[in-house]
Every structure is written in C-alpha cells, then in structure tokens.
C-alpha cells in the first residue's frame, strides 16, 4: 500500500501533479491538501477510474493532519510562484514560512514519509525542512529530497537540438548543484549516450538550462512559472522514489540532498564546502542510499561552472537554516 500526499494540491503544479499521481498504478491512496479549492479538485479527480482512493482537505478540522496521517510520500508544491523580474530568492519571504509550517505537520503526523520539496527557493526550503525535522527529533536525511528533476528534463530536451535524438528522455544528463540560475550545473560531458556539444553552442545551451525557468516566467507574462513541465518532472521523480522504496534496483536520480546524512555525501560536502547539493543519488527502500561523487569526472568548463554554484548555494543554505533558528517577527 502506498499513500501519497500533495500539499498545495489546488495550484498550477498541484493539480496536474495530482492528476498524474491519481492515474498512477503505483499509488493506492492519494490525499490532497491546500488552503483553497481542495474539495473541487478532489471531487473532479475522484471520477477517474484508477486504483487510487482519493481524499481532499482544507485547513479546517485538522485537515493537514488528516491528509498526512499514514503518508508514505509527501510532495510539496505549496507556495507562490515567480512573476517576471523576480528571482527565486524573492519568494523566500512568503514560501519559507509555508514550507516550515507544512513540514512541522509532517513531523507530527508522518515523520517517516519521504518528503519531496518543490516549493522555491529549493536551495533554501530544503535546509528549512531539515532544520524543522531536526527540531522535532525526527530527521532522517535519507528521506528528504529537493526536486531538481525539471533541470534534468530541460537538459534532455534542449540538447535534442544538437543530438537530434527522437526520444529526448533517452539521453541521461546529470545536473548537479542547486535549483536556481548559476547554481544549476548541467554535465553534458557525462551524458549517456555521449553527446558532442560544439564549442560555439555550449554557452547558450548551459545558459538555457540554468535560466529555463525564466523562459516560462516571461512567456506566461505574470501568470506564474512552470507548472505542467514541473508536474511531469515531479511525478517522474516521485515515481522513482516509490519504485525504489518497493525494492526496484538500479534507480539513480539527481536530487538536492543533505550531503552529510547520506552515504558517500560527506566526501562531496568536504570537496565542495557545501552541505546541501544535488548529485546523482542511488535510491532504495530507505530513500537516498548513496550519493555518487562524480566531481572528479567533470570537464574543465564544468569545473568553472561549479565555482559560482558553490558560492550561491552557501548563501541560500545559510539563509534557510537561519530562518528556522531566528524567525522574523510576525
Ligand atoms: P500556484 O500559486 O499556482 O499554487 C500554489 C498553491 O499553494 C496554491 O493552490 C496555494 O493555495 C497553495 N498554498 C499556499 N499556501 C499554502 C499552505 N500554507 N498550505 C497548503 N497550500 C498552500 O503556484 P505553482 O505554480 O503551483 O508553484 C508552486 C511552487 O513551486 C512555487 O514556489 C514555484 O516557484 C515552485 N516551483 C518549483 C519548481 C522546481 O523545479 N522545484 C518548478 C516550478 C515551480
Ligand atoms: C523553474 O525552474 O521553472 C521553477 O523553479 C520556477 C521558476 O521560478 O522558474
């Protein structure tokens, strides 16, 4: 039996993500939570003739607790999205508190669930989640993931212009670092099968993956950021976590984790000087079972990309941790 929960289920990501989860044969029970509109979204999805039994809750009458009780996987796309001209860090003021309070709920109601954080800025919201879980004495770093799959999906898609590969998702491209601008480090030199990115096309390709989010924000002209591609990416990652938890072997996905709590991660933390970082992670029944250190295999260009990524991440991570210990006055 697998129970999945979506927190922020009525939003631009939450609705299509809930649709994909409802349709998945991997899920037996799906619970939706949001501060608005969950009854309507739940009623609508409940007419789909898939296996998952669906329930939906608003905050009233202990709705968060009811949604979370018995959860195996909790996906969090709750929070405000960007408008043109904003950075992801501009979302911190509102989203930091939303993620903190939702993770407090997880600590109380389903402390052993896998937690998949989508809410931006991921570079800070994942450290926030970690600190909240630590304060509640229920922290298992192997079960906390920042979802960076959209960066991987973008890398697969955008390199297609060069490879001509008919099925872009067949080209596996690790993307490491964080999830915003220069903290996103795509590793085309490690693509499988190998891709040959011509030197004159390389800078634009890197920039497009790093700033792909801006492309969507601009195109939506104030109506939000990526939702449908994120729902696809979030579902793809959730599916892998669930499959691995059921014992499927050989599943490796880049994800933003607490390096010091995952086998193999401490060496990467030492090498980068950063505690939270996205690397390809071997997933298994207990979650993030091994962080793969691929830093030694980077090209010279990729090593250069790593420097601003590390600097940006250090600030974003420290800001998240500080928010939990020194919350701003209400
Ligand atoms: P949205 O505004 O369409 O939806 C957000 C939902 O969260 C809304 O339904 C809102 O009611 C709900 N919400 C707000 N406060 C809540 C709370 N306390 N509890 C439960 N629900 C709450 O936004 P969106 O486009 O779905 O984006 C959501 C978040 O995901 C944003 O922060 C965005 O930046 C982020 N995002 C991350 C990635 C990624 O790659 N990790 C990609 C795209 C978007
Ligand atoms: C993305 O990468 O599309 C998301 O992080 C949303 C954003 O703000 O760009």
């Amino acid at each position: 039996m697998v129970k999945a929960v979506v927190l922020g289920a009525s939003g631009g990501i939450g609705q299509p993500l809930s649709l994909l989860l409802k349709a998945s044969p991997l899920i037996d029970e799906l619970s939706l939570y949001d501060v608005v509109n969950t009854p309507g979204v739940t009623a609508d999805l409940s007419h789909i003739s898939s296996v998952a039994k669906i329930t939906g809750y608003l905050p009233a009458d202990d709705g968060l607790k009811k949604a979370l009780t018995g959860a195996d996987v909790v996906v969090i796309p709750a929070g405000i999205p960007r408008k043109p001209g904003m950075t992801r860090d501009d979302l911190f003021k509102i989203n930091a508190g939303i993620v903190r309070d939702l993770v407090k709920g997880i600590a109380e109601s389903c402390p052993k669930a896998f937690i998949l954080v989508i809410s931006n800025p991921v570079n800070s919201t994942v450290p926030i989640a970690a600190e909240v879980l630590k304060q509640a004495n229920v922290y298992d770093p192997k079960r906390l993931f920042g979802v960076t799959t959209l960066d991987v999906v973008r890398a697969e898609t955008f390199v297609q212009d060069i490879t001509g590969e008919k099925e872009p998702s067949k080209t596996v491209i690790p993307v490491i670092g964080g999830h915003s601008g220069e903290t996103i480090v795509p590793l085309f030199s490690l693509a499988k099968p190998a891709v040959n990115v011509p030197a004159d096309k390389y800078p634009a390709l890197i920039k497009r993956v790093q700033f792909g989010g801006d492309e969507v924000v601009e195109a939506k002209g104030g109506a939000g950021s990526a939702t449908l591609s994120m729902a696809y990416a979030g579902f793809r990652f959730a599916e892998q976590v669930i499959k691995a938890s059921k014992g499927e072997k050989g599943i490796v996905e880049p994800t933003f984790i607490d390096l010091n709590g995952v086998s193999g991660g401490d060496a990467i933390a030492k090498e980068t000087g950063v505690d939270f970082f996205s690397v390809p992670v071997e997933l298994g029944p207990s979650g993030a079972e091994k962080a793969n250190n691929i830093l030694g295999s980077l090209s010279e260009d990729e090593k250069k990309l790593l420097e601003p990524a590390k600097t940006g991440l250090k600030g974003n991570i420290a800001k998240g941790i500080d928010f939990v210990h020194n919350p701003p006055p209400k």
Side-chain angles (χ1 to χ4, degrees), residues 142 145 240 244 248-255 257 262-263 279-293:
K142 298 209 294 294
F145 307 92
Q240 296 291 62
E248 194 171 317
K249 300 271 177 246
I251 299 183
V252 179
E253 288 291 335
T255 172
I257 52 161
V262 174
S263 167
V279 283
V281 171
E282 292 177 24
L283 300 172
S286 57
E289 299 202 331
K290 186 166 178 291
N292 287 345
N293 189 350

Side-chain angles (χ1 to χ4, degrees), residues 79-95 120-121 180-181 211 213-218 221-225:
I80 58 161
R82 286 197 289 162
K83 286 186 168 32
M86 290 171 82
T87 66
R88 290 181 186 78
D89 189 51
D90 293 333
L91 306 173
F92 186 96
K93 247 187 168 169
I94 294 178
N95 291 354
N120 271 317
S180 74
F211 295 92
D214 297 32
E215 217 177 274
V216 181
V217 170
E218 295 300 326
S225 55

